[in-house]
Amino acid sequence: MAVNGHGAGLYEGRPVSNLQEELIIVVDFGGQYNQLIARRVREARVYCEMLPFNTPWEAIAAKNPRGLIFTGGPASVYGPEAPRCDPRLLASGLPILGICYGMQLLARELGGQVEPAGKREYGRARLEVLAPEDPLFAGLPPQQECWMSHGDHIVQVPSGFRVTARTGPGLVAAMADETRRLYGVQFHPEVKHTPYGQEMLANFLYRVCGCMGQWSMASFVREEVERICDQVGSGRVICALSGGVDSAVAAALVHRAVGDQLTCIFVDHGLLRQDEAEEVMQALGASLGVRIDLVRAEDRFLALLAGVTDPEEKRRRIGQEFIHVFEEEAAKIGQVDYLVQGTLYPDVIESGTATAATIKTHHNVGGLPERMQLKLIEPLRYLFKDEVRQVGLELGLPEEIVWRHPFPGPGLAVRILGAVDREKLEILRRADAIFTEEIRSAGLYRALWQAFAVLPSTLRSVGVMGDERTYAYPIVLRAVTSEDAMTADWAPLPVELLARVSSRIVNEVSGVNRVVYDITSKPPGTIEWE
């Protein structure tokens, strides 16, 4: 929905937190773990933002950070296309921690020597700390494991640096120039395979950068409420609820700031999960007092989807019809000034940095007619999914909303392969509910990023139920673990659980005679099937 430009809302160009002295900038050189670095810094109760490697010094200096972290990346520092930072960052006097490529860049730019390794160092390695008094390794064991992923290595550290850790004879694993507060580690402290990595990051943040750890979801809520109040004033705000945690938390946060100035529009397009509309209305409407206009539009959407089998065409029709319904309902409210969206930080990173590959298009509400001229409020724009859940709990949202698995905007329409109709929706809705019930009963729901059922309605197979031959649909079960949905692993659910789910679905859901389990990771597959 075209508002006055994506990102032209409350927070563009400035950090969420007023605690400027606590800001750390993560300089992104394109590594696979870079979002994880930012999350680990947040876990240490220090606010951080990620900026692309080519961000000019003026833009970084304007944010007044306490320190910088140079991330890993796939390039070689000696390559002609190797990403470089503004050299003024190195002369800024700010503490810098270089990780993997970031360390190699520090070494090369400051006069050290980096060369291709004769043998790539990848996976677990034994780390020997040579300088236990070094701030980065303070209080940590002299021998520990770490996780390596690099093809180059440092053969000579720059002048003023000393080698503080190694993983083998002559293999530089860490270096430090304590006078200039410049540090580098060849391994990845942000991954769980480096057991003391979080402590190393905390040492950099607290001992080197002087942070106090004042970032928390309680402080975030207080500051955002104040900021939204100042921005909105007496204006009117609308929010499109999807049933997911992001829009629910965004709505609850804005409601705490402006109360009845907010109206939420929840379009039930008939493609929701079982009891989803009722749960959202209870959680936000009845429990928190948020004003919600529930629009029952199942007939409109199913009429548009009749006979449509192409997944992109399904998405297009659902998206366009949603806009029409949303515009109609917004017009009934009268003058509206602001639109709330549940944009998260990974969305911003994916679409806004020079190093992040775009894997999916932006999936929040988009395409509002120009004439609506709404200003954008994105209160979760600098948060990761786990932080959004914490905010939801802080705001008093029930756990069944806060911990609900992600759900695609087009709903069950993209989990039905083939044409969509009421019968297929009911089959899939019931099978999905059984899968979810059993996962919750097994205590595994929160351990999974997503778990859901898929109905490949273009397929039918022969089965035997009782003494009769059947010709019915299969149900595909999908469960994955993930940090941020950029990559995902299939979840090795207990065989007993899968057997129980299969038995229940075949016996309780009419029209199904077979259940299969998807064991494909992302990549090469995607989390959703369409």
Side-chain angles (χ1 to χ4, degrees):
M1 297 177 173
V3 293
N4 295 336
H6 181 270
L10 301 182
Y11 319 118
E12 184 66 21
R14 54 198 176 113
V16 165
S17 177
N18 289 326
L19 303 170
Q20 294 274 352
E21 69 276 8
E22 291 291 291
L23 175 64
I24 296 294
I25 297 294
V26 178
V27 183
D28 179 14
F29 288 92
Q32 61 179 323
Y33 302 129
N34 294 354
Q35 286 195 37
L36 189 54
I37 295 172
R39 294 184 64 215
R40 295 292 180 253
V41 173
R42 301 271 187 95
E43 288 174 8
R45 295 174 60 90
V46 175
Y47 180 70
C48 72
E49 291 184 20
M50 182 179 289
L51 296 176
F53 69 89
N54 55 3
T55 304
W57 162 244
E58 289 84 359
I60 291 177
K63 293 177 176 289
N64 193 29
R66 271 293 183 94
L68 309 174
I69 297 178
F70 289 3
T71 74
S76 297
V77 292
Y78 53 80
E81 302 299 323
R84 299 278 196 273
C85 65
D86 187 326
R88 291 175 291 176
L89 270 64
L90 303 177
S92 66
L94 289 173
I96 299 176
L97 171 62
I99 296 175
C100 196
Y101 179 90
M103 173 182 173
Q104 295 167 6
L105 181 67
L106 280 177
R108 183 176 176 86
E109 295 293 295
L110 296 174
Q113 187 176 353
V114 181
E115 294 181 354
K119 180 181 179 182
R120 184 178 181 185
E121 197 174 12
Y122 182 83
R124 286 185 174 85
R126 191 68 178 169
L127 182 72
E128 179 185 0
V129 177
L130 304 177
E133 74 283 0
D134 180 86
L136 220 58
F137 299 108
L140 302 182
Q143 302 281 339
Q144 53 185 279
E145 283 190 343
C146 65
W147 185 261
M148 293 287 191
S149 179
H150 64 100
D152 301 338
H153 67 135
I154 296 171
V155 296
Q156 181 179 334
V157 300
S159 175
F161 281 80
R162 61 171 176 157
V163 179
T164 55
R166 66 185 181 189
T167 51
L171 294 179
V172 179
M175 65 180 190
D177 181 338
E178 294 182 29
T179 302
R180 290 185 287 178
R181 298 187 296 174
L182 303 177
Y183 298 83
V185 293
Q186 185 59 73
F187 52 89
H188 289 274
E190 70 275 17
V191 303
K192 294 179 180 179
H193 302 300
T194 302
Y196 293 96
Q198 185 66 17
E199 287 84 351
M200 294 175 199
L201 289 173
N203 279 341
F204 175 72
L205 300 171
Y206 288 91
R207 296 175 182 270
V208 179
C209 299
C211 295
M212 301 296 292
Q214 297 172 324
W215 167 254
S216 70
M217 291 304 98
S219 66
F220 168 81
V221 169
R222 288 194 301 269
E223 292 172 8
E224 287 309 291
V225 166
E226 180 180 347
R227 193 189 305 278
I228 293 168
C229 285
D230 291 343
Q231 175 71 16
V232 172
S234 60
R236 297 291 301 275
V237 187
I238 57 174
C239 175
L241 288 178
S242 67
V245 62
D246 301 338
S247 65
V249 172
L253 183 56
V254 174
H255 179 261
R256 177 167 291 192
V258 302
D260 289 341
Q261 292 169 240
L262 168 70
T263 299
C264 293
I265 299 173
F266 187 14
V267 179
D268 183 356
H269 45 31
L271 308 170
L272 299 174
R273 289 168 286 196
Q274 184 167 294
D275 302 326
E276 190 156 26
E278 291 74 15
E279 289 176 4
V280 171
M281 293 296 293
Q282 174 62 33
L284 288 175
S287 300
L288 297 184
V290 178
R291 177 183 170 185
I292 305 176
D293 291 347
L294 175 61
V295 184
R296 301 287 189 182
E298 178 181 9
D299 292 343
R300 291 177 62 167
F301 282 88
L302 291 187
L304 282 173
L305 292 172
V308 178
T309 59
D310 180 75
E312 286 306 310
E313 181 63 16
K314 289 182 192 176
R315 292 177 184 274
R316 188 189 68 80
R317 294 193 182 198
I318 292 168
Q320 286 188 346
E321 188 65 12
F322 182 92
I323 292 169
H324 295 327
V325 175
F326 189 83
E327 184 182 14
E328 291 168 10
E329 295 303 314
K332 296 176 184 178
I333 297 171
Q335 177 61 41
V336 177
D337 307 289
Y338 297 92
L339 170 69
V340 179
Q341 282 194 167
T343 309
L344 303 191
Y345 200 34
D347 299 325
V348 176
I349 293 172
E350 286 178 39
S351 60
T353 74
T355 52
T358 300
I359 295 177
K360 57 184 178 181
T361 54
H362 198 277
H363 58 270
N364 282 303
V365 177
L368 268 179
E370 292 283 349
R371 62 182 176 273
M372 294 191 76
Q373 290 297 303
L374 298 179
K375 299 173 186 176
L376 198 59
I377 299 176
E378 294 177 303
L380 312 178
R381 182 176 173 81
Y382 287 95
L383 299 186
F384 291 99
K385 177 72 80 172
D386 54 342
E387 293 173 322
V388 172
R389 297 190 194 280
Q390 294 172 38
V391 170
L393 295 174
E394 185 73 28
L395 292 168
L397 283 170
E399 292 195 358
E400 58 266 25
I401 294 292
V402 170
W403 293 103
R404 176 172 282 158
H405 288 174
F407 190 58
L412 297 180
V414 293
R415 292 180 179 173
I416 294 175
L417 310 189
V420 178
D421 58 37
R422 283 184 172 82
E423 179 187 6
K424 294 172 186 174
L425 283 167
E426 186 56 32
I427 289 173
L428 180 56
R429 194 173 282 124
R430 183 59 189 138
D432 184 79
I434 290 172
F435 191 26
T436 301
E437 288 169 13
E438 291 296 339
I439 285 174
R440 288 187 185 278
S441 297
L444 296 175
Y445 190 80
R446 291 194 191 179
L448 301 172
W449 178 266
Q450 269 178 279
F452 56 90
V454 176
L455 174 60
S457 68
T458 56
L459 298 175
R460 293 196 184 196
S461 64
V462 175
V464 177
M465 300 180 74
D467 294 326
E468 296 183 1
R469 177 182 182 273
T470 63
Y471 190 60
Y473 296 119
I475 285 289
V476 179
L477 304 179
R478 177 82 159 136
V480 299
T481 58
S482 180
E483 292 278 355
D484 51 23
M486 297 291 288
T487 61
D489 291 325
W490 65 274
L493 297 180
V495 173
E496 297 81 4
L497 171 61
L498 292 172
R500 190 162 57 250
V501 172
S502 176
S503 177
R504 284 195 60 191
I505 289 176
V506 170
N507 283 282
E508 298 177 30
V509 182
S510 178
V512 175
N513 66 356
R514 192 180 299 271
V515 176
V516 299
Y517 188 53
D518 181 354
I519 58 170
T520 311
S521 295
K522 174 188 177 181
T526 56
I527 295 178
E528 297 288 345
W529 270 50
E530 284 197 350

